[in-house]
Structures are given as structure tokens and as C-alpha cells.
Amino acid sequence: MTEDELLFFNRFPAVIPIYQALKDRLEAAYPKLRLKIAKTQISFFNRRMFAMASPPWRRVKGWPAEYLLVSFGLSYRKENPRIAQTAEPYPNRWTHHVIVTRSEEIDLELLAWLDEAYRFAAAK
């Protein structure tokens, strides 16, 4: 993990292992993966952004105190109980948000969704 990534998670050290598990899995799957660290999220790119990771910058009623929010984009709204929120910021561009509280939740199901988002972003 780079110094910039550690600084990004300075206020949220409990989510660092979750982020590291996510990053490790994505780097293993996509050797040309690129990262961009912004003020509130770390974005993952192929040609375009396909996923994001964010710590809990603000409290959301009913959500845990500590989590990593893993977000990804698809051309349709995916329905699954693990998906905490969805939004359609543009027609046929759905952003999905998944609350991850343990590294073990970076599982095959979530990785399949991220792979679908990776392919969707690459094809745009």
C-alpha cells in the first residue's frame, strides 16, 4: 500500500485490511489496473473508472459505524440484498453501493459484479 493510500485511510484504520483485500484481488485480476486517490474515494480504472472504494465519511442511519463502501457501475440496475443503494446518474448508467465490513466479504459474488463493471467500462 502506498503512502498516499495510507494517508487517505488515516481517519479509518479499521477499514485498511478490507481495502487491501479488495485492491489485492483487483490487481491480481487486472494487471493493468490504475488507481486514482481523490478526496473522498479511491477509484479503479481500466480505460475508464469501473469501481470505487470509500470509507464512511458521514454517518448513514442504519449503516454500521465502520465499513468500506465498494461502488461499481453497470448499464442496468442489479437487484441483490447486499446492494445498499443504487442510483442512475445518467440514462442506463447505474451506480451500485455495497457495504463491506469484513475482508471475507470481498468474495466471488462481489468480484463477479466488479468484473462485470470492468467489462462494461472497457466497452464504453
Side-chain angles (χ1 to χ4, degrees):
M1 186 174 303
T2 68
E3 186 175 325
D4 288 340
E5 288 168 297
L6 288 171
L7 186 58
F8 178 83
F9 287 107
N10 188 44
R11 290 182 37 209
F12 309 98
V15 302
I16 290 173
I18 302 167
Y19 170 75
Q20 187 66 60
L22 174 67
K23 181 183 171 188
D24 289 349
R25 299 292 294 268
L26 291 176
E27 285 180 332
Y30 314 112
K32 295 183 181 181
L33 180 76
R34 292 181 296 114
L35 301 178
K36 179 180 177 191
I37 301 170
K39 184 176 179 181
T40 60
Q41 71 184 26
I42 296 177
S43 303
F44 300 95
F45 291 82
N46 50 34
R47 288 181 41 217
R48 303 205 189 318
M49 181 171 50
F50 70 93
M52 298 80 67
S54 309
W57 293 108
R58 60 189 147 125
R59 295 283 295 151
V60 177
K61 187 177 180 180
W63 288 16
E66 294 183 338
Y67 60 88
L68 185 70
L69 192 66
V70 177
S71 305
F72 58 93
L74 296 173
S75 65
Y76 67 97
R77 182 180 186 148
K78 182 173 282 294
E79 299 288 340
N80 188 286
R82 289 180 68 182
I83 298 173
Q85 286 183 337
T86 57
E88 188 181 22
Y90 304 101
N92 300 316
R93 307 260 190 217
W94 287 89
T95 303
H96 302 76
H97 305 286
V98 177
I99 297 169
V100 180
T101 58
R102 298 176 303 116
S103 299
E104 296 79 20
E105 294 172 18
I106 308 295
D107 59 10
L108 294 177
E109 180 176 56
L110 179 57
L111 293 169
W113 298 342
L114 295 174
D115 185 65
E116 188 176 355
Y118 181 92
R119 289 183 279 114
F120 173 62
K124 285 197 258 180

